[in-house]
Amino acid sequence: MALKNLCFMKSGGTPSRKNPSFYEGEIPWAKISDLEFSPDGYIYDTKEHITQEALASINNRFFDAGTLFLAMYGSVGKTGISKIPMTTNQAILGINIKEKDLLDINYLKYWFKTIKQSLLDRAVGAALPNISLTIVKDLKIPLPPLEQQKKIAAILDAADTYRQKTKALITKYDELTQSLFLDMFGDPVRNPKGWEVNFLKQITTKIGSGATPRGGKQAYKKEGISLIRSMNVYDNRFKYKNLAFIDEDQAAKLKNVIVEKGDVLFNITGASICRSSVVPDDVLPARVNQHVSILRPIKSIITSKFLSRFLISENVKTKLLGVGSGGGAVMEAITKEQLQSIEVIKPPLELQNEFSKRVQSIEVQKAQAQASLAQAEDLFNSLLQRAFKGELVS
């Protein structure tokens, strides 16, 4: 049955950024990043809050707790369920069930996960892929009996809980590394230890992003030279899933963005802005597209691991997100000029190397947790696929 017959749907809006007071209220206002960073698929609060007057300016588009949110721009197909009443921007579609005797909201949430790739395939727009409300309304969902839907959702909830616990352990290791960074170097924004400070352009030999080959994703190959996109770059982690490949001719057109061993990757646009990691050796040779910048540190001045950790440290990231806020637009971006002018502390190289050694021992334990997470992901995805083929419950 088509979703338009089962659900109420509407998107939110963006109050004018020309009126700063609109963003000084108490009404939670969700953006794509709030969906991206929700730890367990639920949204408990939002980064920004607006006033009642701001809400009125977007036609009082407000959603009750329990609304299923679907990203229609950028991270197309990403979902989250609100735990509190809130409003959203226009990039997010709010979905509520009107035929509650036919459809369970959690079943719907998991079903969207199974069709995420098909939604991405139907998305338009090169810089910021998006889908329309019409596409979502016309989607047809399989409808087993309601009790069966709830059983499916319960099984998937249990598998997802196992995933989330493993993710939480990995987060703890990241927090431990962040604590070590602060102990050794202090807050890199306030710089209480008085380290020498340089602009990023003074401690790198390259700062630059690439492009998407003509033809977009249809032009990608099954193997060849890696094309690193923002979806591959996470904080101190490289995600291999959906890594794209291009051939020698396509790569030649991107010869100005050849990725080298030890390069730091930094996302400069979209919901994943400011994520950073060191490129893993096993994806080379590689290029980057226009959403990822290569930062190549001068090895005699700064180490790759230190620079990447510096960029994702809490206060630095907060400062950079302010730079790339994009004036309230859906798209957020940091320009090359803004990157070049980032102020970076420069502790002694010996101390940076000591930090890297100590981090390495933490990374060994984190790698074990990541292996467990991979198993949990495989289990969850297997159950997810079986669920919507009618193989999970009867």
Side-chain angles (χ1 to χ4, degrees), residues 73-355:
Y73 291 75
S75 300
V76 172
K78 177 73 175 177
T79 59
I81 294 179
S82 62
K83 282 291 189 179
I84 58 173
M86 63 179 64
T87 186
T88 75
N89 70 5
Q90 65 274 19
I92 296 174
L93 183 66
I95 303 174
N96 295 107
I97 308 299
K98 63 181 177 181
E99 298 293 345
K100 295 185 178 180
D101 58 333
L102 294 178
L103 180 60
D104 177 72
I105 192 89
N106 287 302
Y107 174 85
L108 176 60
K109 175 187 72 173
Y110 286 119
W111 178 72
F112 271 121
K113 289 182 182 294
T114 69
I115 66 163
K116 185 174 181 179
Q117 187 56 52
S118 66
L119 290 177
L120 285 168
D121 291 341
R122 298 179 68 179
V124 297
L128 191 66
N130 64 90
I131 56 172
S132 68
L133 175 58
T134 300
I135 287 176
V136 180
K137 282 185 173 182
D138 288 340
L139 292 172
K140 293 183 178 180
I141 183 171
L143 284 178
L146 189 64
E147 285 306 310
Q148 191 170 327
Q149 292 180 37
K150 291 181 178 180
K151 286 180 182 179
I152 289 171
I155 293 171
L156 293 173
D157 277 342
D160 194 41
T161 297
Y162 176 53
R163 283 198 313 163
Q164 300 306 332
K165 286 182 178 178
T166 311
K167 286 181 180 179
L169 180 59
I170 293 171
T171 299
K172 290 294 183 184
Y173 287 127
D174 287 334
E175 290 173 350
L176 180 58
T177 302
Q178 177 66 16
S179 178
L180 177 63
F181 183 95
L182 292 174
D183 286 344
M184 294 183 68
F185 307 113
D187 176 4
V189 173
R190 293 190 299 109
N191 192 17
K193 295 181 182 285
W195 305 118
E196 181 182 344
V197 176
N198 290 118
F199 292 121
L200 186 61
K201 65 181 179 181
Q202 296 174 307
I203 58 172
T204 54
T205 58
K206 183 174 186 60
I207 298 175
S209 59
T212 296
R214 180 173 294 181
K217 56 191 174 184
Q218 284 76 26
Y220 297 153
K221 312 302 178 183
K222 292 183 178 180
E223 58 183 20
I225 295 170
S226 303
L227 179 67
I228 299 171
R229 299 175 288 171
S230 59
M231 67 180 67
N232 303 122
V233 181
Y234 283 71
D235 283 347
N236 195 43
R237 179 167 65 93
F238 189 89
K239 190 171 183 179
Y240 292 83
K241 184 178 180 181
N242 296 322
L243 178 63
F245 297 96
I246 55 178
D247 60 29
E248 293 284 353
D249 290 338
Q250 292 168 314
K253 296 175 182 177
L254 294 172
K255 62 183 179 181
N256 61 321
V257 285
I258 297 174
V259 185
E260 297 182 1
K261 180 181 175 67
D263 281 352
V264 175
L265 306 172
F266 186 80
N267 288 353
I268 55 176
T269 65
S272 66
I273 192 170
C274 293
R275 292 200 307 228
S276 177
S277 66
V278 180
V279 64
D281 294 347
D282 59 1
V283 302
L284 301 176
R287 306 290 190 269
V288 295
N289 74 357
Q290 68 271 28
H291 304 299
V292 181
S293 183
I294 295 170
L295 310 180
R296 187 166 298 148
I298 299 173
K299 293 180 175 60
S300 61
I301 297 177
I302 194 164
T303 68
S304 300
K305 285 189 176 180
F306 174 83
L307 178 58
S308 182
R309 292 286 182 175
F310 167 86
L311 291 168
I312 64 176
S313 61
E314 184 176 359
N315 286 352
V316 170
K317 177 165 281 199
T318 298
K319 185 176 180 180
L320 292 177
L321 286 171
V323 169
S325 62
V330 173
M331 192 69 161
E332 297 178 321
I334 291 179
T335 67
K336 182 176 180 179
E337 290 71 25
Q338 289 169 331
L339 269 179
Q340 290 174 330
S341 62
I342 293 173
E343 294 182 329
V344 183
I345 59 172
K346 194 180 72 175
L349 195 60
E350 296 80 7
L351 193 62
Q352 295 180 45
N353 286 327
E354 175 63 23
F355 170 73

